[in-house]
Amino acid sequence: MMLEVPGAAMLEAVTLTKRYEDGVLALDHVSFAVKPGQIFAMLGANGAGKTTAINLFLNFIEPTDGEARIDGIVTHKEPLLAKQRVAYVSENVMLYPNFTAVQNLDYFARLGGKTGYTKDDYRSVLLRVGLSEDAHNKRLKGFSKGMRQKCGIAIAILKDAPAILLDEPTSGLDPKAGFEFQQLLDSLRTEGKAILMSTHDIFRAKEVADIIAIMNNGRIVMQEPASRLLGQDLERLYMQYMAGHTAAEAVA
Amino acid sequence: MLRTIIEKEIRDIIGSSKFAISFGVCAALILLCFVTGAVNYKTSQAQYEAAKAENLRQMEGLTDWFSVQQHRIFLPPHPLASLVSGVSNDIGRTTEVRGRGELNADGSRYAEDPVYAVFRFLDLEFLFQVVLSLLAILLGYDAISGEKERGTLRLSFSNGLPRATYILGKLIGSFLALIVPLLLALAIGSLIYPILGVPLSGIDWLRLALIILAGLLFVGAFLTLSVMVSAFTQRTSSSFLVLLVVWIGAVLIIPRASVLLAGRMVDVPSVDELASQKARLASQLMEEDRTRMSEFNTPPAAPGEDFEPDKMLKLFNTFMDSLADARDKQMAEFGGRLNEDRANKQQAQERLAFSIARVSPSASFALATSALAGTDMFLKEHYRDQTMDYQQEYGKFMKEKTGLNPGGRMVIMLRDDNENEKPKEIDPSEMPAFKYAPPAFAESFGRAIFDLGLLAFFNLLFFTGSVFGFLRYDVR
Ligand SMILES: Nc1ncnc2c1ncn2[C@@H]1O[C@H](COP(=O)(O)OP(=O)(O)OP(=O)(O)O)[C@@H](O)[C@H]1O
Ligand SMILES: [Mg+2]
């Protein structure tokens, strides 16, 4: 808990670099830090390296250089320990189609080391992410993408980890669900979670994030506290960075 | 954690419609298999009893044992042979017993009812070999690659979850999900036998239990193989394809190819070749004896004695008998040498074929189960040994009754055609009965144990392979 004091990073990338076997440099010496109670939003074109960064935090791949740390633990050195401290929602949540929502939650909660949850806990978390009650005990087979996404988010909440990784969590959510998700993120931040989120939703990122980073070709080309971007047209800024302008030019 | 994964795996497999349908079909086939097995056995048993009765019936009314022609003995059906037919339908079951010479069995089931030879029987062995091995593949081919495709592997490994635990849970879970329901269906199926009135002895139950064990080990080998392949492939379509090719090779190709290959490598003279060699010697010996026969002379009647046809006939028959005995002995020696030589070569060929075939669990399974059911290749030899023992008994009996071992040859007799005295009929029930004893359990088990061990080894091998494959698996 010592690291939860403001100032110490919960999620940290230190000159994080990944070159894939085929030579693609997906991440090029990227550094950033997310503190407890902070939401860090990564924007960037398709193929910019966002998923790669998240995969490095989960030790799905090994860094070519640098390291990813969770709560100070280097993920590729002590992956099991590090991953106990992080919850994850993937781009396209796929769960067991033959299990009900509650069964899926129960299984993944147990994998995350949480064995004490009751039916009521599952019910309330599913309601919290906005899944209507009649769907709780239905098999996931018939769920829409957004409904599955909500289950995925519920699973992440149940893990109750200090750090959360979200890879385009709002893809597939309808506007109402998207808005509710934003409120959910707010409350998770209040609980002191450190949240790293990749997204294509510039407007929502601006509303909810504490820090906004724009990635291009494996580099972070802009990283600013959201408060400093308040008056700016983030979309225009994004386009400029994508066009290859330098930070100074763009902000000017 | 391990328990969580095992439980989830079992629930995932058993709850799937894939399982419900495929297992339902398999369970129905298992039951059907026991039903047809029992019915089949009862039919064979009835045919066997009828043939035995017919054999005795045709002796009725005969007035002397010399006239007994075509005394036949039969290999009785065995209840387990209907479950694991092995070679039992291919070998001759009927042996015509003569007092002398080689005995040959003919009248195999397939020869008599060729329609069965075309499509073969749906027996337990076939079910395991072809259907249940495919069921195992169906349940295991997507164990890992399927989780990856579904995206659940990523989510699972976003937790502090050791890979070894996960793959162990997968293996144990899928093993239980396949084996327990199968065992249940097989246990229920086994009960069909006594219900349909086919009794099994205690030893037969033990044999059946071991056959089922061999089957489960065989299916287990295919399941662990499937998990292993799924842990080396990234997509379910590729794991399925790989497994299909392996299945075709293991079940359909390797056992057959091994026999062909061994046949090319070790040359065994054909039975026809042997038969013509024997026939040549036989006619040569006969030729020699014919000269001896023509030189047969009764010692001149002592002075004062009358010519006694009875005595002369007796002398002649004894003379003929001794010639025949000598011929027999020479033939037996020669035939024995040829047979032994052929048997040795054949054994070398078989051993080679089996060694090659055992690359596939399918071969081990077939060898183990047919040994346990008493229907392996040794059945033919075993049956022949017993018919030959019986031949001795029969020869002794005939000698007792007639004073000669007729051996189906022409014998010159002088009939007392006493019109007044009606000749007495023989009593066919005096004829010694042929009692077939199936191979002893210890013997069968001894022949099966190696292949049972090999099947267990395959399980272990693929199990370890799965673990190693998965430790390096890209879980993204
Ligand atoms: N397994 C891989 N092997 C080789 N190159 C890869 C691999 N995975 C990703 N890449 C490459 O790395 C780069 C970054 O990909 P990444 O998936 O991290 O992008 P992203 O920012 O998540 O994109 P998106 O917004 O489409 O999700 C891309 O150029 C991609 O082609
Ligand atoms: Mg991505």
Side-chain angles (χ1 to χ4, degrees), chain A residues 46-47 49-52 91 167-168 198 200:
Chain A
N46 295 127
K50 304 180 293 295
T51 301
T52 301
E91 254 178 278
D167 201 350
E168 295 176 39
S198 93
H200 292 299

Side-chain angles (χ1 to χ4, degrees), chain B residues 155-463:
Chain B
L155 188 54
S156 300
F157 281 93
S158 69
N159 293 298
L161 173 63
R163 284 179 180 228
T165 310
Y166 188 79
I167 185 73
L168 267 179
K170 273 265 168 193
L171 280 163
I172 297 172
S174 49
F175 201 82
L176 290 177
L178 174 64
I179 296 300
V180 173
L182 264 188
L183 196 58
L184 223 64
L186 287 163
I188 294 171
S190 306
L191 293 181
I192 289 179
Y193 256 54
I195 289 172
L196 289 185
V198 178
L200 289 180
S201 68
I203 286 291
D204 284 344
W205 279 114
L206 181 59
R207 285 174 188 266
L208 181 58
L210 285 169
I211 288 171
I212 289 176
L213 171 73
L216 296 182
L217 283 174
F218 172 67
V219 171
F222 268 96
L223 182 73
T224 44
L225 173 73
S226 307
V227 175
M228 183 175 96
V229 170
S230 85
F232 279 97
T233 43
Q234 307 294 315
R235 278 188 325 216
T236 51
S237 52
S238 18
S239 28
F240 196 71
L241 198 68
V242 170
L243 282 163
L244 209 59
V245 171
V246 171
W247 183 87
I248 291 172
V251 176
L252 302 180
I253 308 293
I254 292 177
R256 283 154 209 241
S258 69
V259 175
L260 288 180
L261 212 64
R264 295 207 145 238
M265 288 156 80
V266 182
D267 215 19
V268 178
S270 75
V271 179
D272 288 336
E273 234 168 275
L274 257 59
S276 70
Q277 282 185 48
K278 285 180 200 164
R280 224 174 303 138
L281 182 70
S283 64
Q284 187 195 325
L285 290 176
M286 198 61 204
E287 200 57 46
E288 289 168 20
D289 279 358
R290 214 161 277 148
T291 353
R292 281 189 199 116
M293 279 180 229
S294 61
E295 283 160 12
F296 174 77
N297 257 325
T298 38
E305 256 180 57
D306 281 343
F307 173 71
E308 288 173 67
D310 257 10
K311 197 172 164 195
M312 145 126 192
L313 199 57
K314 204 164 169 210
L315 275 172
F316 179 71
N317 275 343
T318 318
F319 170 72
M320 290 293 278
D321 217 23
S322 71
L323 280 188
D325 276 341
R327 263 202 324 269
D328 261 7
K329 205 172 146 219
Q330 252 180 301
M331 279 305 295
E333 261 169 32
F334 180 70
R337 236 186 0 258
L338 284 187
N339 287 349
E340 195 186 313
D341 178 57
R342 177 167 197 274
N344 284 342
K345 284 184 177 150
Q346 202 170 31
Q347 212 174 31
Q349 192 188 57
E350 280 158 9
R351 215 172 292 141
L352 183 66
F354 291 166
S355 312
I356 302 172
R358 281 186 172 114
V359 172
S360 154
S362 187
S364 288
F365 170 71
L367 291 171
T369 48
S370 59
L372 288 166
T375 55
D376 56 359
M377 285 188 344
F378 296 94
L379 176 62
K380 190 174 174 184
E381 208 175 298
H382 181 77
Y383 175 50
R384 219 192 44 186
D385 287 350
Q386 301 221 347
T387 57
M388 266 147 62
D389 288 348
Y390 178 76
Q391 187 181 32
Q392 299 283 317
E393 207 182 326
Y394 174 77
K396 220 184 291 161
F397 172 78
M398 282 312 243
K399 193 141 193 170
E400 253 169 45
K401 287 287 172 195
T402 65
L404 287 173
N405 186 347
R409 281 193 324 273
M410 182 190 65
V411 171
I412 301 174
M413 284 193 319
L414 204 69
R415 286 242 321 235
D416 242 349
D417 277 345
N418 196 333
E419 305 284 309
N420 311 333
E421 206 180 315
K422 208 175 163 238
K424 240 175 74 193
E425 285 185 11
I426 59 166
D427 177 7
S429 67
E430 277 180 54
M431 179 78 83
F434 172 60
K435 283 195 198 69
Y436 174 77
F441 173 74
E443 200 185 318
S444 304
F445 185 68
R447 278 203 288 270
I449 184 76
F450 177 73
D451 287 299
L452 284 174
L454 208 56
L455 285 174
F457 168 76
F458 276 120
N459 277 272
L460 206 67
L461 181 72
F462 298 144
F463 191 98

Side-chain angles (χ1 to χ4, degrees), chain A residues 35-108:
Chain A
K35 293 175 189 169
Q38 268 189 342
I39 298 176
F40 185 100
M42 288 189 286
L43 294 170
N46 295 127
K50 304 180 293 295
T51 301
T52 301
I54 288 174
N55 282 346
L56 283 162
F57 273 100
L58 291 168
N59 193 46
F60 287 161
I61 46 179
E62 295 249 317
T64 314
D65 192 21
E67 54 192 38
R69 296 184 199 144
I70 301 172
D71 201 3
I73 302 163
V74 178
T75 55
H76 69 273
K77 292 200 175 128
E78 287 181 89
L80 296 187
L81 209 59
K83 285 196 267 187
Q84 281 170 11
R85 289 163 168 72
V86 68
Y88 163 66
V89 180
S90 66
E91 254 178 278
N92 187 4
V93 175
M94 301 288 280
L95 300 169
Y96 294 102
N98 284 324
F99 289 179
T100 65
V102 170
Q103 284 171 335
N104 268 296
L105 258 56
D106 184 58
Y107 173 62
F108 283 105

